[in-house]
Amino acid sequence: GTIEDTTASVTLSPRARKLAEVQTAPVERRFVAGELRLLGKVDYDETRLGSITARVAGRLDRLFVNYTGVRVQKGDHLVSLYSPELLTAQEELLQAVRGIKESDAIGIPALKEAALQSLAASRGKLLLWGLTQEQLDEIENRGTASDHLTIYAPIGGIVTEKRLVEGAYVEEGTEIYTIADLNQVIVYDTTHQLP
């Protein structure tokens, strides 16, 4: 017997191709893009959240952000906190600085060593309370203590929570603001979840 060619084919004249608006292209392997609609929940990336807390007890004399939704930059001042404890700690710092100068004048190494240890402890306490190195330098150069602390934004983003109002008293660890960096968010697929 003979083998017949059963391949179907259609031939169009140039005019018919033009009327049919048929386009041809070489066969190639490639990714196909398509649109897929799903249900999901957009949420904050928890690794991009900043919590602004009081690290020392005091009173919130001024809140520079008065409502949620405000965009802040890293380093923006957010809070002016009044704290008598802060005043005492700064006076200890300045006393340690004076102690180093006095020990240099007297020339007793043991006195200078004690003064240096006192200075390191005072600086460490203030850094733990949220002061920056620049703020410490300013206090030491100025030579006077202040009973107010400015708290700065640790990250840039949107203020998503404002928990307190001006005049509120806070303890160590009291949360004042939450800031979310929304440049990157997380989407949870809820398409197949039951209501």
Side-chain angles (χ1 to χ4, degrees), residues 7-142:
T7 304
S9 63
V10 176
T11 304
L12 297 175
S13 68
R15 184 172 185 277
R17 280 200 302 271
K18 189 172 183 181
L19 289 172
E21 296 183 351
V22 173
Q23 295 181 355
T24 62
V27 176
E28 60 182 19
R29 184 183 297 271
R30 63 179 177 180
F31 291 105
V32 177
E35 184 177 299
L36 179 62
R37 293 180 181 268
L38 300 171
L39 295 175
K41 177 185 174 187
V42 179
D43 204 352
Y44 307 123
D45 181 347
E46 290 186 3
T47 65
R48 293 172 175 259
L49 288 178
S51 180
I52 290 76
T53 59
R55 296 190 184 179
V56 60
R59 182 183 68 230
L60 303 179
D61 267 5
R62 183 165 181 197
L63 297 178
F64 294 98
V65 175
N66 292 321
Y67 51 90
T68 59
V70 173
R71 178 176 291 279
V72 296
Q73 302 295 322
K74 181 178 180 179
D76 282 356
H77 46 266
L78 297 178
V79 179
S80 178
L81 173 71
Y82 164 78
S83 173
E85 289 182 49
L86 179 70
L87 182 64
T88 302
Q90 289 178 69
E91 287 171 346
E92 290 172 0
L93 172 73
L94 294 173
Q95 179 60 44
V97 171
R98 287 191 292 270
I100 291 173
K101 291 177 182 175
E102 290 170 4
S103 66
D104 281 340
I106 296 171
I108 301 176
L111 284 178
K112 182 165 186 177
E113 182 61 32
L116 286 170
Q117 289 178 0
S118 176
L119 180 63
S122 296
R123 285 177 175 167
K125 179 193 288 186
L126 289 168
L127 289 170
L128 283 174
W129 283 357
L131 275 75
T132 64
Q133 185 60 52
E134 290 76 18
Q135 287 172 309
L136 291 185
D137 294 342
E138 182 184 337
I139 294 164
E140 292 178 23
N141 292 332
R142 189 177 64 228

